[in-house]
Amino acid sequence: PARSRSSMADAFAALPQLVLEGYRATTFDYDPPADADPTTRVGKERWIEVFRASIPEFSRRAASDPRVADAAALAARFAASFGADLDRVASGDHASLFEGAPTVLKLCRLRDRALRELGFDDCFLDVKTEENEKALATLPGVLRELDAIGDPGARIEALVRGVFAGNVFDLGAAASAALHADGNGGFDATRAGLRRRPWCVDDADTFRDAWTSSPVGALDEDALGDVSEDVSERVVREIPSPWKKCVLFVDNAGADVVLGMLPLCRELLRGGAEVVLAANETPSINDVTARELIDLLPRVAAAEADGTQTCVFLEALDSKKLKVVSSGSDLPVIDLTRVSWELVDAARGADLIVLEGMGRAVETNLRARFTCDALNLGMVKHPEVAQCLRGTLYDCVCRFRRPEE
């Protein structure tokens, strides 16, 4: 229904399933007290250096943006301006930049604002487009591999691992940006080289059991087929979904969404769930936007149909069981008290929330509570985040919880 908005604040609302009491979007304290646990304490100076380390990649992408006149000079201005802003944050002289203490939300906004003020509205567009094409070509093979896994628990774990492997395509983190530049961030290689379990946050078994063991999701083992059979010669049986409607917050373009999140989405659809994909309204780094994802899905459906002889995506799009909505966000992180009304309306009745990516699922919302089941998935691409989680670089986060937990 149409709503009248009395102010810009009325354009946003809280996700219906979010428990507001005690909610803080950010996971890590950017200015922790001196007596914090020294083994996990990361001080303000180190967090600021995380953002400073991103400047070369952002400047390089901005300087080569063909949509901006005099891009190279403006990219240099961005680097100088954002670097100076970080100096002010480090010295504590940031009252004119933002209110209160620094957080990941505020520093992400500061960086994106510095780019947009100079006309760089989407300086990662070309690399997003290029990576989408590569991922679409790889997708049929990934889906065939997943469909060949007859054991439901093993297939679910393979889906989770695929999300982690795709999530390495993150040009906002210096480490993963370097992997991409060196050609070492490929999906297959990353998936094969994932950290061995247990991961630094590892509820994968609990998630698997929630999917396969509930009354709604109970499995007919005989109907799953023989894994030794040629997948092209048999009907791939679904893993019944115990969830009726799932909201999936997606992260990056390319392998992340196409090879990671969309196969997970497909399995939920095949199991009988409705799926809402929530993506950014406005471009930020190499995150996929809702408009880009809407345009991408018919090509994903065609790749699935041509490469696997299944039409899960096509049927879900035709039946409206799969939809894309804008989250309302313009950042690579998200405050779930400020999402679009479009998402609020689409999320009503959802009984599973999935947050994906280091920004949305780890640096924000890792400790968020919900009135339904919730899953956070992300790869750790900052050493500072790894330290806070007692993990290692490229460790994995899989946090699943029931509403009462």
Side-chain angles (χ1 to χ4, degrees), residues 58-76:
F58 280 71
S59 299
R60 185 171 74 85
R61 296 291 175 182
S64 61
D65 189 341
R67 290 158 294 276
V68 177
D70 204 14
L74 290 172

Side-chain angles (χ1 to χ4, degrees), residues 42-118:
V42 176
K44 181 175 71 171
E45 298 78 11
R46 286 181 63 195
W47 289 118
I48 290 170
E49 288 309 307
V50 168
F51 282 85
R52 201 182 300 279
S54 74
I55 292 176
E57 177 67 16
F58 280 71
S59 299
R60 185 171 74 85
R61 296 291 175 182
S64 61
D65 189 341
R67 290 158 294 276
V68 177
D70 204 14
L74 290 172
R77 281 179 57 189
F78 156 74
S81 172
F82 185 52
D85 286 344
L86 292 177
D87 290 341
R88 293 178 61 187
V89 175
S91 69
D93 180 27
H94 49 71
S96 63
L97 299 176
F98 50 75
E99 293 182 6
T103 67
V104 66
L105 279 157
K106 294 172 185 175
L107 294 186
C108 283
R109 186 169 299 285
L110 196 64
R111 180 177 60 193
D112 280 14
R113 185 173 66 200
L115 281 168
R116 291 168 187 152
E117 285 178 347
L118 293 168

Side-chain angles (χ1 to χ4, degrees), residues 201-211 242-243 351-354 366 372-377 397-403 405:
V201 179
D202 193 339
D203 296 331
D205 293 345
T206 308
F207 175 58
R208 175 202 63 207
D209 292 346
W211 194 334
W243 304 288
D351 47 3
L352 175 67
I353 304 296
V354 180
L366 184 59
C372 66
D373 290 353
L375 176 69
N376 294 52
L377 296 171
V397 170
C398 177
R399 185 185 180 208
F400 178 76
R401 63 274 198 201
R402 297 291 198 179
E405 296 176 351

Side-chain angles (χ1 to χ4, degrees), residues 188-268:
D188 290 336
T190 303
R191 185 175 55 175
L194 286 177
R195 290 278 183 268
R196 296 183 63 180
R197 297 183 62 192
W199 301 311
C200 63
V201 179
D202 193 339
D203 296 331
D205 293 345
T206 308
F207 175 58
R208 175 202 63 207
D209 292 346
W211 194 334
T212 61
S213 303
S214 68
V216 177
L219 290 154
D220 177 358
E221 298 289 351
D222 294 333
L224 284 167
D226 183 352
V227 71
S228 64
E229 297 177 49
D230 184 342
V231 69
S232 65
E233 299 298 324
R234 65 182 172 87
V235 175
V236 180
R237 300 296 180 180
E238 73 276 1
I239 306 172
S241 171
W243 304 288
K244 295 179 180 178
K245 183 192 279 191
C246 310
V247 176
L248 277 55
F249 286 82
V250 298
D251 188 10
N252 302 300
D256 195 353
V257 67
V258 175
L259 305 180
M261 286 299 281
L262 287 179
L264 175 62
C265 165
R266 175 177 178 255
E267 200 66 56
L268 290 165

Side-chain angles (χ1 to χ4, degrees), residues 103-401:
T103 67
V104 66
L105 279 157
K106 294 172 185 175
L107 294 186
C108 283
R109 186 169 299 285
L110 196 64
R111 180 177 60 193
D112 280 14
R113 185 173 66 200
L115 281 168
R116 291 168 187 152
E117 285 178 347
L118 293 168
F120 296 109
D121 296 323
D122 194 3
C123 60
F124 289 82
L125 176 60
D126 293 343
V127 70
K128 288 191 293 181
T129 302
E130 176 185 332
E131 293 299 324
N132 283 342
E133 295 301 321
K134 292 179 183 176
L136 283 168
T138 306
L139 178 62
V142 171
L143 296 181
R144 286 194 298 268
E145 287 179 22
L146 291 165
D147 289 349
I149 302 174
D151 178 74
R155 194 191 301 169
I156 291 168
E157 181 167 336
L159 287 163
V160 169
R161 288 178 176 275
V163 171
F164 294 145
N167 193 229
V168 80
F169 177 50
D170 180 353
L171 300 181
S176 50
L179 277 180
H180 183 265
D182 293 340
N184 296 322
F187 180 80
D188 290 336
T190 303
R191 185 175 55 175
L194 286 177
R195 290 278 183 268
R196 296 183 63 180
R197 297 183 62 192
W199 301 311
C200 63
V201 179
D202 193 339
D203 296 331
D205 293 345
T206 308
F207 175 58
R208 175 202 63 207
D209 292 346
W211 194 334
T212 61
S213 303
S214 68
V216 177
L219 290 154
D220 177 358
E221 298 289 351
D222 294 333
L224 284 167
D226 183 352
V227 71
S228 64
E229 297 177 49
D230 184 342
V231 69
S232 65
E233 299 298 324
R234 65 182 172 87
V235 175
V236 180
R237 300 296 180 180
E238 73 276 1
I239 306 172
S241 171
W243 304 288
K244 295 179 180 178
K245 183 192 279 191
C246 310
V247 176
L248 277 55
F249 286 82
V250 298
D251 188 10
N252 302 300
D256 195 353
V257 67
V258 175
L259 305 180
M261 286 299 281
L262 287 179
L264 175 62
C265 165
R266 175 177 178 255
E267 200 66 56
L268 290 165
L269 289 167
R270 186 157 55 187
E274 295 180 44
V275 176
V276 176
L277 298 172
N280 264 22
E281 171 68 21
T282 304
S284 181
I285 320 181
N286 58 304
D287 292 10
V288 70
T289 66
R291 172 46 56 193
E292 290 165 350
L293 191 52
I294 289 169
D295 293 342
L296 190 61
L297 279 180
R299 301 185 64 199
V300 167
E304 179 202 13
D306 293 343
T308 70
Q309 287 73 58
T310 62
C311 296
V312 178
F313 285 118
L314 185 62
E315 292 170 2
L317 289 169
D318 287 347
S319 65
K320 310 298 185 188
K321 290 188 67 176
L322 173 61
K323 66 165 60 175
V324 177
V325 301
S326 165
S327 66
S329 178
D330 59 355
L331 297 175
V333 288
I334 193 164
D335 179 345
L336 294 176
T337 65
R338 291 180 55 79
V339 301
S340 70
W341 278 104
E342 180 186 18
L343 175 54
V344 168
D345 292 339
R348 296 193 194 282
D351 47 3
L352 175 67
I353 304 296
V354 180
L355 292 147
E356 186 251 348
M358 187 172 67
R360 292 169 190 80
V362 181
E363 293 180 286
T364 57
N365 300 302
L366 184 59
R367 300 191 181 104
R369 294 181 297 136
F370 300 89
T371 59
C372 66
D373 290 353
L375 176 69
N376 294 52
L377 296 171
M379 179 178 274
V380 176
K381 290 157 288 190
H382 291 323
E384 295 77 11
V385 172
Q387 181 176 335
C388 288
L389 296 175
R390 302 181 189 276
T392 59
L393 190 64
Y394 304 123
D395 216 326
C396 301
V397 170
C398 177
R399 185 185 180 208
F400 178 76
R401 63 274 198 201

